Amino acid sequence: MRIDTKLIHGGVFGDEETGAVSVPIYQVSTYRQEAIGKHKGYEYSRTGNPTRAALEALIAELENGTGGLAFSSGMAAISTVLSLYSQGDHLVVGDDIYGGTYRVLSRVFNRLGIEATYVDTSRLDQVKEAIRPHTRAVYMETPSNPLLKVTDIEGLADICREKNLHLIVDNTFLTPYWQNPLDLGADIVVHSATKYLGGHSDVVAGLIAVKDEDLGEELHFLQNSIGGILPPHDSWLLMRGMKTLGLRMRQHEATAARLAEWLARRGDIASVYYPGLTDHPGHETASRQARGFGGMISFDVGSAERAEQVLERTRYFTLAESLGAVESLISVPARMTHASIPYERREELGITEGLIRVSVGVEDVEDLLEDLDQALR
Ligand SMILES: *Cc1c(COP(=O)(O)O)cnc(C)c1O
């Protein structure tokens, strides 16, 4: 089955009982047992729920994994993955990962004795140097946020295999539609399904997919033990959104490519970051390991004042955090999502106060171009 067909027929298709073509919402907490321990596979909805199970089967299939799990948020999924590790364990982590992931590592898991070293994972030599005897995993995102740096997943997977480390990839930005990290050697894929997978700014959810069955069982044990599960109604909403993932991702990308090229041609933009541009440093790696470049663009307008003006003047780009929805969103990472990083460190990374991040929606591209043009002028 090819991916566009998987989005419709993958996982569980409809309902055997009634012939309904949509998976029913099993709004239930517990299940009748015919005798003690004799049941139809479901005992209690924290442990398993048929609506959530359909979603979990779908993400497993989309990521070419053996198992999938659904959580109440991306952070619940990520925290459950991090619960695989114990006091004294060490992780090597990308230095421009999602702020919430950095926060939970540096303010929660550090208290439990799990240490992290932050490196630029697009530089494999930096990853190698950071590995210690107690390192258990490498955690990364590609493309990264907000500078869209690209990490060679296969190259990193080789290092991890040699050192017996888990490779964990946050695949939120490209989704399984464009990139399948498990096929490239990763062990665990995590998603904030709140973003592209849901796609309509109406559900908060997280997903995991794994390659190895034993690791899948261990993570299911943790999901059931910690309990951050996705409720049945939200599981259904997410599957509803995911049916159109292909249509949306193709549109997001076509429009993002037009905008990025248009921005790069202008004389009044200091730099444009989009992996689809041939002069982007990660363009070659991105072309090799992914089927598309996604819908996220960052560009530097030169100053904090100009960035603020642009954000005030755009009509179709909504000023908001988050990304991946049908409506275009615009933000200044240095003053919003990345404000907790010290000024000097931000400047060093290239996250300047004039840097604007756009999540390109599915509006008419001409309207978006005209809107950005008037805002920039
Ligand atoms: C939003 C996001 C998260 C966190 O997900 P929530 O659903 O907000 O908990 C993790 N990683 C990335 C890349 C994100 O964009």
Side-chain angles (χ1 to χ4, degrees):
M1 228 190 291
R2 294 171 181 83
I3 187 124
D4 280 290
T5 310
K6 270 190 198 175
L7 288 166
I8 310 300
H9 293 275
V12 177
F13 183 87
D15 177 37
E16 286 292 327
E17 283 294 309
T18 61
V21 295
S22 162
V23 173
I25 301 168
Y26 284 91
Q27 193 68 49
V28 61
S29 62
T30 193
Y31 306 80
R32 179 169 52 81
Q33 305 193 5
E34 283 155 46
I36 296 170
K38 190 160 178 264
H39 53 75
K40 296 180 172 168
Y42 296 98
E43 295 163 89
Y44 186 64
S45 278
R46 170 162 34 73
T47 318
N49 172 281
T51 314
R52 194 177 89 227
L55 169 64
E56 293 177 331
L58 180 60
I59 191 62
E61 201 162 330
L62 292 173
E63 286 288 14
N64 300 323
T66 60
L69 295 166
F71 296 85
S72 54
S73 68
M75 286 320 303
I78 290 164
S79 299
T80 302
V81 168
L82 295 174
S83 303
L84 285 167
Y85 307 106
S86 308
Q87 185 176 27
D89 286 347
H90 171 254
L91 310 174
V92 177
V93 179
D95 63 6
D96 55 357
I97 51 160
Y98 179 69
T101 308
Y102 175 75
R103 180 173 55 206
V104 82
L105 277 165
S106 62
R107 295 183 60 186
V108 181
F109 284 94
N110 69 317
R111 289 195 279 103
L112 309 178
I114 297 165
E115 257 191 289
T117 302
Y118 300 90
V119 302
D120 178 353
T121 53
S122 71
R123 300 266 315 273
L124 298 185
D125 54 322
Q126 284 198 15
V127 177
K128 266 191 190 159
E129 273 168 35
I131 295 172
R132 301 183 198 165
H134 294 290
T135 305
R136 297 281 315 279
V138 175
Y139 184 104
M140 55 94 116
E141 293 173 15
T142 183
S144 71
N145 177 21
L147 293 172
L148 302 152
K149 279 193 283 192
V150 177
T151 292
D152 173 4
I153 300 175
E154 258 180 322
L156 201 48
D158 286 343
I159 296 172
C160 289
R161 204 172 305 116
E162 192 185 310
K163 301 275 184 187
N164 207 14
L165 314 177
H166 289 147
L167 176 58
I168 307 163
V169 179
D170 182 330
N171 201 25
T172 300
F173 268 38
L174 287 185
T175 81
Y177 194 74
W178 294 132
Q179 178 169 276
N180 295 118
L182 299 183
D183 290 347
L184 299 164
D187 300 289
I188 303 172
V189 170
V190 295
H191 285 283
S192 170
T194 312
K195 315 295 167 53
Y196 287 108
L197 291 168
H200 296 75
S201 305
D202 53 11
V203 60
V204 173
L207 296 173
I208 295 178
V210 288
K211 192 163 54 183
D212 178 71
E213 279 184 42
D214 291 341
L215 188 55
E217 291 209 356
E218 209 176 330
L219 282 164
H220 178 247
F221 166 81
L222 289 171
Q223 181 196 40
N224 186 42
S225 302
I226 298 170
I229 48 148
L230 192 65
H233 189 265
D234 286 6
S235 297
W236 180 86
L237 253 184
L238 186 51
M239 283 188 281
R240 184 188 206 275
M242 285 166 72
K243 288 183 206 292
T244 56
L245 182 69
L247 298 171
R248 288 185 285 110
M249 291 312 278
R250 292 198 297 271
Q251 188 62 47
H252 285 303
E253 185 185 60
T255 305
R258 268 286 295 281
L259 287 186
E261 280 158 21
W262 177 82
L263 284 165
R265 272 200 310 272
R266 290 180 73 100
D268 60 348
I269 306 289
S271 29
V272 182
Y273 304 89
Y274 182 65
L277 294 174
T278 50
D279 63 353
H280 185 281
H283 180 72
E284 235 171 82
T285 307
S287 311
R288 197 173 60 238
Q289 70 186 11
R291 294 176 292 273
F293 303 108
M296 299 298 298
I297 304 173
S298 294
F299 55 100
D300 197 328
V301 294
S303 71
E305 297 72 40
R306 187 158 183 236
E308 194 162 334
Q309 282 171 4
V310 171
L311 264 62
E312 268 169 27
R313 287 179 191 167
T314 49
R315 285 173 56 204
Y316 301 132
F317 292 84
T318 304
L319 173 56
E321 294 192 3
S322 196
L323 59 105
V326 287
E327 55 279 335
S328 292
L329 302 176
I330 194 164
S331 66
V332 171
R335 297 178 58 193
M336 298 168 68
T337 45
H338 292 63
S340 59
I341 304 173
Y343 175 80
E344 290 77 24
R345 176 79 185 127
R346 276 197 320 248
E347 290 287 316
E348 208 176 280
L349 291 168
I351 307 170
T352 62
E353 311 224 312
L355 187 79
I356 293 177
R357 188 190 81 175
V358 168
S359 169
V360 179
V362 298
E363 299 92 341
D364 191 300
V365 63
E366 301 301 335
D367 283 330
L368 294 180
L369 283 170
E370 279 171 25
D371 192 27
L372 262 191
D373 189 46
Q374 64 80 21
L376 284 164
R377 279 192 285 120

